[in-house]
Amino acid sequence: MEIYHQYVKLRKQFGRWPKFTNEGAEMIADVRPNEEHAKEYIPRNPVITVTQCVPEMSEHEANTVAVILASKAMSHVEGGWPKDIDYSEAEHTIRYRKKVEKDEDYVRTVGMLGLEVEELVKQNNAVDIYQEYFTGVTTDHSAEVPSVKTVTVFKDPCQQYPRSASYVNWHPDAPKVVVSYSILQFQQQPIDMPLSSYVWDVSNPNSPEFEMTPTSQICCANFNLK
């Protein structure tokens, strides 16, 4: 008995057929460059990016046969042994290994695999993948020579005990920064160690704008914009 399925689709469901005609050239838009925008142009550091104006889409329809899938599992403790060999008995496994090693097919197979492995080892020894073949060639991707300079120094107002800045957080809208001062080795803290952390104004490094005095030292502080 022949089993088949007939699928019927009307012609109007395929869509209308296109009709092309020859016409003259037509200018849709003419955008001239703006000189004011050119003055605001700022060159960026070299970057690598990929853009695509048209979104990538794909559509496909097909009638396929339903596939029944089943999930099965197997506990593989020590595999490769025949059913009549108990792998928990050392004498059985040793006797079976000796039997296989005397087989001519086993010796021939191991010899062929040895030749392939030897060729690969020679290739790895001949080619140094860590060797620099083009020494002394450096590509300068920066527009100017990088340099670093100190603009402002924010010193801890507490000079009694040396504390390090454990966390720094910048305000996203104002030139302010909150600095958390603490000693992370908690067992080495002095008894009378100050616990204050400060909010600094970038334009005034002489004195902090706000002092936070908690019950214990602050290891991390952030601005709350709400």
Side-chain angles (χ1 to χ4, degrees):
M1 183 179 62
E2 183 179 0
I3 300 175
Y4 68 94
H5 173 72
Q6 184 178 3
Y7 179 76
V8 180
K9 189 173 184 181
L10 300 178
R11 176 59 184 83
K12 63 181 181 180
Q13 297 179 358
F14 293 162
R16 300 178 58 184
W17 58 277
K19 182 179 181 180
F20 301 98
T21 58
N22 295 326
E23 293 184 358
E26 179 183 356
M27 180 178 295
I28 299 177
D30 185 10
V31 181
R32 298 291 180 178
N34 192 344
E35 299 296 337
E36 297 297 332
H37 293 172
K39 296 179 181 179
E40 300 177 358
Y41 175 76
I42 300 175
R44 295 177 56 188
N45 289 334
V47 296
I48 299 175
T49 181
V50 179
T51 58
Q52 177 59 270
C53 299
V54 181
E56 297 182 0
M57 295 183 295
S58 177
E59 182 180 359
H60 179 70
E61 296 181 2
N63 294 329
T64 58
V65 181
V67 179
I68 301 176
L69 302 179
S71 178
K72 297 183 180 180
M74 181 180 62
S75 178
H76 190 80
V77 181
E78 184 174 348
W81 301 103
K83 295 182 180 180
D84 55 345
I85 300 298
D86 186 5
Y87 64 87
S88 60
E89 295 290 338
E91 296 181 359
H92 294 182
T93 56
I94 293 174
R95 190 182 306 110
Y96 182 76
R97 285 195 184 97
K98 290 182 178 179
K99 178 181 178 181
V100 173
E101 290 176 356
K102 294 179 180 179
D103 190 0
E104 296 181 357
D105 294 338
Y106 173 80
V107 177
R108 183 169 56 256
T109 303
V110 172
M112 295 175 59
L113 294 177
L115 295 177
E116 297 180 2
V117 173
E118 183 180 2
E119 183 179 359
L120 297 176
V121 171
K122 290 181 179 179
Q123 291 179 358
N124 293 335
N125 293 335
V127 179
D128 187 4
I129 61 176
Y130 300 102
Q131 180 181 358
E132 295 183 3
Y133 294 94
F134 305 98
T135 58
V137 178
T138 57
T139 305
D140 187 9
H141 297 284
S142 60
E144 59 183 6
V145 180
S147 61
V148 178
K149 63 180 180 179
T150 303
V151 178
T152 306
V153 178
F154 299 96
K155 293 184 178 181
D156 185 7
C158 174
Q159 301 294 334
Q160 184 179 1
Y161 298 102
R163 301 187 303 171
S164 60
S166 59
Y167 194 84
V168 177
N169 181 251
W170 291 86
H171 196 284
D173 300 328
K176 297 181 182 180
V177 60
V178 57
V179 183
S180 304
Y181 297 95
S182 62
I183 298 177
L184 299 181
Q185 288 80 12
F186 299 102
Q187 296 180 354
Q188 300 179 6
Q189 297 178 7
I191 299 177
D192 55 344
M193 187 192 74
L195 306 176
S196 300
S197 295
Y198 306 96
V199 176
W200 296 87
D201 189 353
V202 178
S203 59
N204 184 19
N206 297 325
S207 59
E209 184 181 89
F210 182 76
E211 179 180 358
M212 297 180 292
T213 307
T215 57
S216 61
Q217 64 176 356
I218 300 177
C219 299
C220 178
N222 291 277
F223 284 103
N224 187 4
L225 304 180
K226 296 184 179 180

